[in-house]
Amino acid sequence: MAGTPPKVVVVLPTYNERENISRIVPALFDLAIPNFHLLIVDDNSPDGTGQAAEELGREAAYRGKIKVLHREQKQGLGPAYIQGFKRALSLGADLVMQMDADLSHQPKYIPKLLETARRFDIVIGSRYTSGGSVDEGWGPLRKLLSWWANRVYTPIILNLPIRDATGGFRVYQRDCLIGMNLNKVKANGYVFMVELAFVAHQLGYRIGEVPIHFPDRQHGDSKMSSAIAFEAALRVWQIKLRHRALKPSDRRANDYDD
């Protein structure tokens, strides 16, 4: 129907985020964005996050706007997002957003991300583009490693023209997610973000960045560790070898069926 706003589906992966979803869900819907939906992808959280999400979905304010995808066990961030993206596409999403549940991705930036998505195939909420920033409490080493990974290491190896390749606060156009062929994305953990960005760039999709401030999570424990960061650095080379031959003509046809 002419004038119908695009359907926005936010994919929110969770593992032991029961306390956080009780905060982020109201914050998301308080934005009052038309045709806005939430898909919570829970990895069988021991703290009952999945059940809490189901209870939220039954509340009158959110009825019909929240769906919960229950996975049998914790299998990693990449597979959780891929399964969530596929479900969002099957639900008819025009725009698919990914973000963390821990409030380090602040909902206040969502309107700007969606507005910018009118001009790009992917929009990244960026800590390292002009105007972006990270938590003031980060130590010097953490700041240096994150800056170096995003502004030096990854861009040089992959020739990526973006400043926050590991950023996980993003909006994707439907056609872009389909064209990338998610079945060929293999990375797990935080390097999954790098692989998606590289595949999109190789296929000729337009990538934009919106500056954000990135605070530390307010509740719960971070999943990031030095071992994860080191592994991600090594896997950047695997991503280059896996996808270096991709070109725009390799985009998957826009006939989504899985």
Side-chain angles (χ1 to χ4, degrees):
M1 181 183 297
T4 301
K7 183 173 185 177
V8 179
V9 177
V10 176
V11 177
L12 198 70
T14 58
Y15 185 76
N16 286 347
E17 300 281 7
R18 185 185 184 104
E19 187 176 4
N20 284 326
I21 64 165
S22 68
R23 293 175 170 85
I24 194 170
V25 168
L28 288 172
F29 286 99
D30 282 349
L31 296 170
I33 295 170
N35 213 359
F36 187 86
H37 302 262
L38 178 61
L39 174 63
I40 296 171
V41 183
D42 185 65
D43 279 3
N44 196 21
S45 297
D47 73 346
T49 300
Q51 291 75 14
E54 292 281 6
E55 292 169 6
L56 281 168
R58 288 193 288 270
E59 293 186 10
Y62 311 128
R63 195 167 295 136
K65 299 177 182 179
I66 296 178
K67 293 189 180 299
V68 185
L69 177 57
H70 297 277
R71 305 202 319 149
E72 292 184 0
Q73 59 187 350
K74 188 177 182 182
Q75 298 171 333
L77 190 63
Y81 266 128
I82 287 177
Q83 195 169 353
F85 290 162
K86 289 181 176 182
R87 178 65 62 85
L89 292 171
S90 71
L91 292 171
D94 299 300
L95 295 169
V96 178
M97 173 173 285
Q98 67 170 85
M99 64 187 299
D100 292 343
D102 60 14
L103 296 171
S104 57
H105 295 153
Q106 299 178 79
K108 68 180 182 180
Y109 295 111
I110 290 177
K112 182 63 175 179
L113 290 169
L114 294 176
E115 177 188 345
T116 306
R118 297 174 183 173
R119 297 181 282 113
F120 294 95
D121 301 300
I122 299 176
V123 179
I124 300 173
S126 176
R127 299 162 291 179
Y128 298 111
T129 196
S130 177
S133 59
V134 298
D135 193 280
E136 296 82 358
W138 281 21
L141 180 59
R142 183 178 180 185
K143 287 182 179 178
L144 176 62
L145 287 175
S146 182
W147 176 88
W148 181 77
N150 283 285
R151 293 295 305 276
V152 180
Y153 184 78
T154 301
I156 288 177
I157 294 172
L158 300 181
N159 192 30
L160 275 174
I162 57 177
R163 295 173 179 241
D164 197 348
T166 65
F169 195 7
R170 301 181 178 185
V171 180
Y172 302 87
Q173 294 281 354
R174 176 184 181 86
D175 289 353
C176 176
L177 274 184
I178 294 172
M180 285 195 291
N181 193 352
L182 296 172
N183 294 323
K184 294 186 177 181
V185 176
K186 304 299 182 184
N188 204 343
Y190 293 89
V191 77
F192 169 77
M193 316 303 177
V194 178
E195 184 169 14
L196 280 180
F198 184 58
V199 169
H201 176 63
Q202 291 293 96
L203 293 173
Y205 288 110
R206 301 163 298 168
I207 305 176
E209 293 182 274
V210 169
I212 64 167
H213 175 67
F214 184 85
D216 269 343
R217 63 164 44 227
Q218 297 180 19
H219 303 276
D221 299 320
S222 173
K223 277 74 170 178
M224 176 57 76
S225 68
S226 57
I228 290 174
F230 180 71
E231 181 184 9
L234 293 178
R235 294 198 181 279
V236 168
W237 291 97
Q238 293 180 336
I239 289 169
K240 181 174 183 176
L241 293 173
R242 185 181 301 144
H243 300 297
R244 62 183 175 180
L246 284 177
K247 52 190 180 302
S249 60
D250 294 321
R251 293 181 184 183
R252 183 181 183 186
N254 189 8
D255 56 354
Y256 183 75
D257 58 4
D258 64 0

